[in-house]
């Protein structure tokens, strides 16, 4: 042991400041259990998991003095929080303790890496640096994965863990979470992805934890929907019932009961309908199924509208309707949406919304929220309150509503994504806002899910759920924002007889299941410690007899393996592609990767080979919004061997007519001369890219030189560019128009009938060209 321990106090270590004293026995017990093993620690929020991480980090740096430690957290505010804790409690010099962010240029990050001992980072930053080979992980003695319940699927934690155990000679992993998942299967997935050998579990009932648990009162408050809301709801549910009956008649749904059809059922419908379309024998049957596709799409929209009026209120539903009406006005809406909004019922809903807004009718949860906040702040002017809401639009509406009370100083706390009229918060702004919240400049934050994880706000004494979420992880994280340093309260607002209640009980069921799973795992661990045989016990014994440096593959690892000689081949990747699993798969295979922002193509193999990758969903979306052919024209203009990788099956989950999809694919091949290669998933795509690089680069000399300089503009290309600027005209339609009519003069002088003779030009687009060519310009005054 490198700590001097006396009466449960860690009182002496050269890397710890004198003010560092822990009187919590459970922290020492967990720390001892995590020595020399990859450990997952499940511990309730507010019990100092950062201290456990600090103790292990100090231990590893003492044992391996020339090594480094990495502390990962999902968000920059959380990274900043951990950095501050370590800075306050350790004697490690400032230059050796750094929070590294994506805003720091790569070359600067490389310089910082050389001198630091502990790096605090988001997983995205570390992932990109690993992929770019910016620095090596071979001398990293510990990686801490905070909020490690995220270590599932394609999340960056999974990739980082695998690269780490493959490359570090002294690897050790610590995973931290308060809520690992509802089932043993989910917890096992996390263990496998992080190469965990041991699980340390603490609950509020454990004897060594109980003294440090602050009481948090949980109370749910029910409100009744006003008659005006119920009138709107009736219109929505009547339309839903009609659609469900049609879908049940076609044997696409098992029931038409509104209470039995879930959102998951609706989301699965499209795939089922497409399968039926592919096997249909008559045009009449196909026609019926295409109507079913429209019905399924509108059922999802109506279900969402129903949820908004039930759980969020008039303003949220009004915002949703206006966004969709704007799409229709801008000609970007699909047929199903346009048909739904032509319906007299939707028009009636808009009228009722306007009437209710004029009367000042709001969701009763808003009034109850205002009452709770006013009462809390009146009783305690130093109170800090977090209000959680699932929908971003509702956050803005709530903040606006709270402005009417002078003692409530509220601000939104949302993610970075900016929408048309709703600016997101950068991570720097989030950190500044949290500081202002702690200082009391704001006493209330209204947050989306971005505020749920890990943030340690000691002053927060009240948490309010404006809506409920059917997720045990998210609910536990929300509640964990209070009761950290003192007693706290949680209020859960529910609209009676609505989804709010259903989600609440669904979450409770999942939470019970999670606790039962953790209890079973804890009991098994006790049995294992008593010496009885178990797989975990066997693995632990094997680990103790083998050197920790072993990099043996285990059955739990992903099937993606390093390919011998792959490092000799290079793929240039657009940095935005790191959001996909393809780049991670290439890195795991050992392919040399360069990340840059490419103006054209997603991947470049050589000066002549450029590749655009489209998932099945993105392929469909890019056809609808007109991006596809513009992007592919650029690809063709810059590379003599352009390739389109189509990942997945665009026919299975498409709302586009099958003939239109075939038309797009054949046009890409025949008109543009672009090769299309279909893959099943990201692993297939990565293997294909590697094989392309291997074939193209074998025997070649020198580096690939990228040239995206603008070529001299040819008149024909300029004409295509001008015509493609007409609403509804993409690059392919522009080419068709010019091929047939030759000049701009002929196109703009043509009547509607002549325009409709051109391939891919329907009546609507022909009318648009005709109208624009005869429209007189009017300068708009400011």
């Amino acid at each position: 042991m490198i700590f001097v321990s006396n009466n449960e106090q860690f009182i002496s270590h050269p890397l710890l400041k004198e003010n560092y004293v822990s009187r919590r026995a459970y922290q020492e017990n967990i720390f001892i259990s995590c020595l020399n093993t990859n450990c997952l620690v499940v511990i309730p929020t507010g019990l100092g998991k950062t201290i456990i991480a600090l103790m292990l980090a100090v231990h590893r740096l003492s044992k391996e003095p020339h090594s480094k430690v990495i502390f990962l957290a999902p968000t920059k505010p959380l990274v900043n929080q951990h950095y501050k804790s370590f800075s306050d409690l350790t004697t490690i010099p400032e230059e050796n303790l750094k929070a590294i962010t994506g805003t720091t240029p790569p070359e600067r990050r490389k310089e910082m890496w050389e001198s630091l001992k502990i790096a605090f980072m988001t997983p995205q930053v570390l992932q990109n640096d690993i992929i770019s080979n910016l620095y090596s992980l071979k001398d990293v003695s510990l990686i801490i994965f905070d909020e490690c319940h995220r270590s599932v699927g394609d999340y960056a934690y999974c990739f980082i863990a695998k690269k780490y155990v493959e490359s570090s000679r002294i690897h050790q992993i610590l995973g931290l979470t308060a809520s690992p998942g509802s089932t043993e299967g989910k917890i096992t997935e996390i263990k496998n992805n992080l190469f965990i050998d041991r699980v340390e579990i603490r609950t509020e009932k454990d004897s060594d934890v109980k003294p440090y648990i602050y009481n948090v009162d949980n109370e749910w408050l029910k409100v009744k929907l006003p008659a005006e809301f119920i009138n709107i709801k009736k219109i929505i549910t009547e339309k839903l019932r009609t659609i469900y009956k049609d879908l049940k008649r076609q044997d696409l749904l098992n029931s038409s009961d509104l209470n039995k059809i879930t959102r998951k059922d609706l989301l699965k419908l499209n795939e089922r309908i497409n399968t039926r379309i592919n096997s249909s024998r008559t045009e009449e049957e196909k026609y019926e199924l295409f109507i079913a596709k429209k019905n399924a799409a509108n059922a999802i929209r109506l279900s969402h509208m129903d949820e908004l009026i039930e759980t969020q209120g008039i303003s949220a539903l009004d915002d949703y309707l206006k966004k969709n009406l704007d799409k229709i006005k801008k000609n970007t809406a699909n047929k199903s949406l346009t048909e739904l909004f032509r319906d007299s019922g939707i028009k009636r809903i808009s009228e009722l919304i306007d009437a209710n807004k004029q009367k000042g009718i709001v969701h009763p949860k808003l009034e109850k929220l205002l009452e709770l906040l006013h009462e809390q702040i009146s009783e305690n002017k130093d109170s800090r309150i977090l209000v959680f809401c699932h929908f971003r639009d509702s956050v803005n509406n709530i903040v606006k509503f709270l402005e009417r009370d002078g003692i409530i100083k509220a601000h939104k706390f949302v993610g970075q994504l900016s929408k048309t009229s709703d600016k997101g918060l950068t991570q720097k702004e989030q950190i500044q806002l949290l500081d202002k919240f702690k200082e009391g400049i704001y006493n209330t934050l209204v947050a989306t899910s971005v505020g749920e994880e890990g943030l340690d706000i000691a002053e927060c004494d009240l948490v309010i759920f404006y809506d409920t979420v059917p997720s045990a992880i998210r609910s536990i994280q929300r509640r964990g924002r209070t009761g950290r340093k003192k007693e706290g309260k949680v209020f859960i607002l529910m609209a009676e007889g609505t989804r709010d209640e259903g989600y609440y009980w669904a979450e409770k069921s999942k939470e019970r299941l999670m606790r039962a799973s953790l209890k079973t795992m804890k009991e098994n661990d006790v049995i294992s410690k008593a010496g009885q045989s178990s797989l975990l016990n066997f693995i632990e014994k094997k680990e103790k007899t083998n050197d920790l440096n072993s990099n043996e593959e285990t059955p739990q690892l992903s099937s993606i393996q390093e390919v011998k000689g792959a490092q000799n081949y290079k793929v240039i990747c657009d940095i935005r592609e790191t959001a996909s699993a393809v780049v991670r798969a290439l890195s795991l295979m050992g392919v040399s990767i360069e990340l840059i922002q490419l103006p054209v193509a997603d991947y470049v193999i050589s000066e002549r080979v450029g590749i655009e990758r489209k998932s099945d969903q993105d392929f469909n979306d890019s056809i609808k919004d007109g991006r596809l052919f513009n992007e592919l024209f650029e690809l063709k203009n810059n590379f003599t061997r352009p390739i389109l990788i189509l990942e997945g099956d665009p026919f299975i989950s498409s709302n586009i007519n099958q003939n239109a999809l075939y038309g797009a694919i054949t046009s890409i091949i025949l008109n543009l001369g672009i090769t299309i290669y279909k893959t099943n998933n990201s692993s297939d795509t990565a293997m294909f890219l590697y094989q392309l690089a291997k074939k193209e680069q074998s025997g070649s000399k020198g580096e690939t030189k990228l040239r995206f300089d603008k070529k001299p503009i040819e008149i024909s290309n300029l004409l295509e560019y001008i015509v493609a600027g007409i609403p509804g005209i993409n690059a392919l339609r522009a080419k068709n128009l010019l091929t047939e009519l030759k000049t701009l003069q002929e196109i703009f002088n043509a009547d509607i009938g002549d325009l409709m003779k051109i391939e891919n030009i329907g009546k609507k687009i022909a009318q648009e060209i005709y109208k624009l060519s005869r429209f007189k310009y009017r300068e708009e005054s400011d």
Side-chain angles (χ1 to χ4, degrees):
M1 278 284 290
I2 52 87
F3 290 97
V4 178
S5 181
N6 179 27
N7 295 326
E8 301 178 357
Q9 297 183 34
F10 296 107
I11 56 174
S12 176
H13 189 279
L15 291 181
L16 294 175
K17 289 182 180 176
E18 288 183 9
N19 65 340
Y20 173 77
V21 177
S22 173
R23 297 182 181 275
R24 299 187 176 185
Y26 69 86
Q27 291 173 341
E28 179 178 4
N29 295 337
I30 293 172
F31 161 71
I32 292 168
S33 297
C34 292
L35 291 173
N36 304 319
T37 188
N38 293 341
C39 193
L40 167 62
V41 175
V42 181
I43 186 170
T45 55
L47 290 180
K49 63 181 179 180
T50 306
I51 298 297
I52 297 165
L54 183 145
M55 291 160 65
L56 195 59
V58 166
H59 168 71
R60 293 299 286 166
L61 291 175
S62 299
K63 189 177 179 183
E64 302 284 348
H66 300 296
S67 70
K68 302 176 190 295
V69 169
I70 298 174
F71 199 138
L72 295 173
T75 64
K76 189 175 175 182
L78 203 44
V79 166
N80 196 59
Q81 182 175 291
H82 293 315
Y83 166 72
K84 189 174 185 306
S85 296
F86 273 57
S87 182
D88 290 344
L89 296 173
T90 70
T91 60
I92 299 171
E94 189 178 328
E95 62 270 18
N96 299 143
L97 207 65
K98 293 291 182 184
I100 303 175
T101 70
T103 56
T104 310
E107 287 308 312
R108 174 64 184 138
R109 295 205 298 268
K110 189 175 181 179
E111 286 175 23
M112 291 166 70
W113 178 261
E114 295 302 318
S115 61
L116 61 75
K117 298 301 289 182
I118 304 181
F120 301 84
M121 312 164 82
T122 61
Q124 289 74 23
V125 171
L126 181 57
Q127 172 190 270
N128 289 354
D129 289 353
I130 291 170
I131 288 169
S132 302
N133 289 315
L134 205 61
Y135 41 77
S136 171
L137 301 181
K138 68 182 177 67
D139 294 322
V140 174
S141 60
L142 174 68
I143 295 186
I144 302 156
F145 294 84
D146 192 22
E147 307 298 348
C148 69
H149 52 267
R150 288 172 172 250
S151 307
V152 293
D154 285 333
Y155 192 67
Y157 276 178
C158 308
F159 167 79
I160 290 167
K162 183 171 184 187
K163 292 294 283 189
Y164 175 50
V165 299
E166 286 175 351
S167 55
S168 175
R169 57 185 180 81
I170 44 173
H171 64 78
Q172 186 173 350
I173 286 171
L174 175 65
L176 301 169
T177 183
S179 46
S182 300
T183 64
E184 283 190 64
K186 185 63 72 176
I187 298 167
T188 300
E189 183 183 356
I190 294 166
K191 286 173 59 182
N192 292 342
N193 288 337
L194 293 183
F195 304 91
I196 297 299
D197 305 315
R198 183 184 185 87
V199 180
E200 273 295 313
I201 300 166
R202 291 294 186 279
T203 69
E204 294 90 341
K205 295 180 180 178
D206 284 309
S207 58
D208 59 350
V209 166
K210 258 185 178 180
Y212 307 102
I213 297 291
Y214 292 97
N215 183 53
V216 175
D217 290 328
N218 288 271
E219 185 177 349
W220 38 283
L221 304 171
K222 288 187 178 182
V223 298
K224 286 189 175 181
L225 288 181
E228 292 85 354
F229 281 34
I230 291 169
N231 290 337
I232 292 173
K233 186 172 162 55
K234 279 179 181 175
I235 299 171
I236 297 170
T237 52
E238 204 50 51
K239 298 204 160 304
L240 263 179
R241 192 174 285 110
T242 302
I243 290 176
Y244 288 171
K245 283 179 180 176
D246 278 347
L247 293 171
K248 186 177 183 296
R249 177 182 56 79
Q250 292 176 274
D251 202 27
L252 292 164
L253 283 177
N254 296 324
S255 171
S256 58
D257 188 337
L258 293 176
N259 297 318
K260 291 181 180 177
I261 305 299
T262 66
R263 182 69 59 87
K264 280 185 180 177
D265 294 328
L266 295 177
L267 293 172
K268 288 177 184 174
L269 266 179
N270 208 40
E271 190 171 336
R272 190 181 301 174
I273 294 168
N274 281 322
T275 303
R276 289 264 294 271
I277 288 172
N278 290 335
S279 60
S280 60
R281 297 180 180 178
T282 65
E283 288 301 316
E284 185 180 351
E285 188 182 355
K286 276 188 180 179
Y287 177 74
E288 287 288 323
L289 287 166
F290 277 117
I291 290 175
K293 278 174 74 77
K294 286 195 283 187
N295 280 337
N298 284 333
I300 292 170
R301 294 183 182 110
L302 288 164
S303 176
H304 182 62
M305 289 165 63
D306 192 37
E307 181 172 4
L308 290 177
I309 191 64
E310 279 187 347
T311 68
Q312 306 300 311
I314 290 287
S315 294
L317 180 57
D318 191 34
D319 289 342
Y320 178 74
L321 293 181
K322 283 176 178 172
K323 281 178 187 175
N324 283 298
L325 284 168
D326 192 48
K327 285 182 186 176
I328 292 167
K329 286 176 184 174
K330 290 179 177 176
N331 243 355
T332 57
N334 57 31
K335 284 184 180 178
S336 59
L337 177 63
T338 306
E339 286 181 17
L340 177 65
F341 274 67
R342 281 190 196 134
D343 188 275
S344 58
I346 301 297
K347 291 175 182 174
R348 177 62 183 149
I349 288 171
S350 292
E351 291 168 2
L352 289 172
I353 287 173
D354 289 341
N356 287 326
K357 287 179 88 170
Q358 286 176 9
K359 291 178 188 175
I361 295 171
V362 296
H363 200 293
K365 285 200 292 188
L366 271 177
E367 293 169 329
K368 177 54 89 174
L369 175 64
L370 187 70
E371 178 190 320
L372 291 170
L373 294 177
H374 184 87
E375 186 179 323
Q376 177 75 12
I377 296 166
S378 296
E379 289 179 3
N380 178 10
K381 62 182 178 60
D382 295 323
S383 188
R384 299 289 184 278
I385 305 159
L386 273 171
V387 179
F388 285 107
C389 182
H390 181 62
F391 295 100
R392 172 102 163 240
D393 287 343
S394 289
V395 167
N396 295 323
N397 292 327
I398 291 168
V399 171
K400 190 174 180 182
F401 185 79
L402 296 177
E403 286 173 357
R404 61 184 63 187
D405 191 317
I407 68 170
I408 302 171
K409 294 172 282 185
H411 200 288
K412 70 177 183 180
F413 189 72
V414 298
Q416 298 181 77
L417 184 67
S418 290
K419 300 178 182 179
T420 45
S421 58
D422 180 20
K423 191 175 181 295
L425 295 174
T426 66
Q427 292 191 332
K428 185 178 179 181
E429 288 171 329
Q430 290 172 10
I431 292 168
Q432 290 170 347
L433 187 54
L434 287 172
D435 289 338
K436 289 178 181 178
F437 182 60
K438 289 175 182 179
E439 292 166 16
I441 296 170
Y442 298 108
N443 54 28
T444 304
L445 291 183
V446 185
T448 55
S449 58
V450 74
E452 291 172 356
E453 279 186 329
L455 296 176
D456 186 5
I457 305 165
E459 298 82 1
C460 181
D461 49 5
L462 175 61
V463 166
I464 300 176
F465 290 26
Y466 182 77
D467 47 26
T468 54
V469 285
S471 162
I473 290 174
R474 290 186 61 192
S475 190
I476 290 168
Q477 294 287 351
R478 281 183 174 190
R479 294 200 306 269
R481 295 317 102 215
T482 189
R484 299 175 77 88
K485 301 290 189 297
K486 57 184 177 180
E487 292 188 352
K489 286 188 291 187
V490 174
F491 287 121
I492 301 163
L493 302 180
M494 280 188 272
E496 199 173 327
T498 69
R499 282 173 176 79
D500 274 339
E501 282 195 86
Y503 287 166
Y504 175 79
W505 293 115
E507 184 278 319
K508 283 295 169 197
S509 175
K510 289 176 183 176
E511 200 171 324
R512 278 195 300 272
L513 186 60
M514 184 184 80
R515 292 186 188 281
S517 299
L518 290 174
K519 185 181 178 184
T520 301
M521 294 180 75
K522 195 173 174 64
E523 287 169 352
N524 289 342
D525 191 49
V526 170
I527 293 169
S528 176
K529 286 173 185 174
Q532 293 192 20
S533 177
S534 72
L535 178 60
L536 181 61
N537 201 32
F538 170 75
I539 292 169
E540 286 176 345
K541 284 179 181 176
K542 193 169 189 290
E543 284 297 311
K544 286 174 185 175
T545 56
N546 291 336
D547 195 303
L548 261 174
N549 300 345
S550 171
N551 284 332
E552 286 186 310
E553 295 290 330
T554 65
Q556 293 85 6
L557 292 184
S558 164
S559 59
I560 301 168
Q561 301 297 326
E562 187 169 351
V563 178
K564 189 176 180 181
Q567 72 277 6
N568 298 322
Y569 306 104
K570 180 179 180 180
V571 177
I572 300 170
C573 308
D574 183 73
I575 196 162
R576 289 159 291 196
E577 277 290 294
T578 56
S580 81
V582 176
V583 180
R584 294 193 285 272
L586 283 169
S587 180
L588 289 169
M589 289 163 64
V591 175
S592 176
I593 293 169
E594 182 181 351
L595 291 179
I596 62 172
Q597 188 158 333
L598 292 169
V600 179
D602 293 322
Y603 302 92
V604 174
I605 302 298
S606 67
E607 290 179 46
R608 67 175 190 151
V609 182
I611 300 110
E612 186 76 23
R613 182 189 72 92
K614 293 287 181 193
S615 66
D616 47 10
Q617 186 61 53
D618 190 29
F619 183 75
N620 287 318
D621 291 344
S622 61
I623 289 174
K624 286 190 280 189
D625 62 26
R627 281 182 293 119
L628 180 65
F629 286 98
N630 292 330
E631 289 171 354
L632 294 180
F633 265 111
E634 286 296 314
L635 188 70
K636 180 179 171 60
N637 286 340
N638 282 278
F639 299 95
T640 56
R641 291 287 186 273
I643 298 169
L644 171 65
I645 294 178
L646 193 46
E647 195 174 285
D649 190 339
F651 291 93
I652 287 179
S653 56
S654 175
N655 286 320
I656 300 175
N657 181 287
Q658 196 174 47
N659 290 333
L661 279 174
Y662 277 122
I665 291 168
T666 53
S667 293
I668 292 166
I669 297 168
L670 299 176
N671 294 356
L672 295 181
I674 292 176
T675 301
I676 298 179
Y677 184 81
K678 186 180 176 302
T679 62
N680 294 320
N681 50 46
S682 56
S683 299
D684 281 357
T685 301
M687 180 54 73
F688 178 61
L689 289 169
Y690 161 67
Q691 295 293 348
L692 274 177
K694 185 178 178 183
K695 184 74 174 175
E696 179 71 2
Q697 294 170 15
S698 292
S700 66
K701 296 178 181 178
E703 289 284 306
T704 300
K705 294 179 181 177
L706 296 181
R707 293 189 181 91
F708 295 105
D709 300 331
K710 288 189 176 179
K711 300 175 183 178
I713 296 177
E714 296 179 9
I715 297 298
S716 292
N717 289 342
L718 183 58
L719 294 177
E720 287 176 14
Y721 180 80
I722 293 168
V723 177
I726 299 170
I729 302 292
N730 57 27
L732 181 63
R733 288 183 177 132
K735 198 178 185 79
N736 291 343
L737 282 164
L738 287 161
T739 300
E740 292 296 324
L741 299 176
K742 309 301 181 190
T743 67
L744 292 178
Q745 185 177 10
E746 289 297 319
I747 292 171
F748 291 130
N749 284 339
D751 59 31
I752 292 170
D754 289 335
L755 291 167
M756 288 174 63
K757 292 175 185 176
I758 310 298
E759 185 184 357
N760 288 326
I761 303 296
K763 186 177 180 180
K764 191 174 180 181
I765 292 175
Q767 288 173 333
E768 187 72 18
I769 296 170
Y770 186 85
K771 183 179 77 174
L772 281 174
S773 65
R774 288 153 179 79
F775 187 85
K776 290 183 179 178
Y777 173 73
R778 292 193 297 268
E779 186 176 2
E780 292 184 10
S781 56
D782 294 331

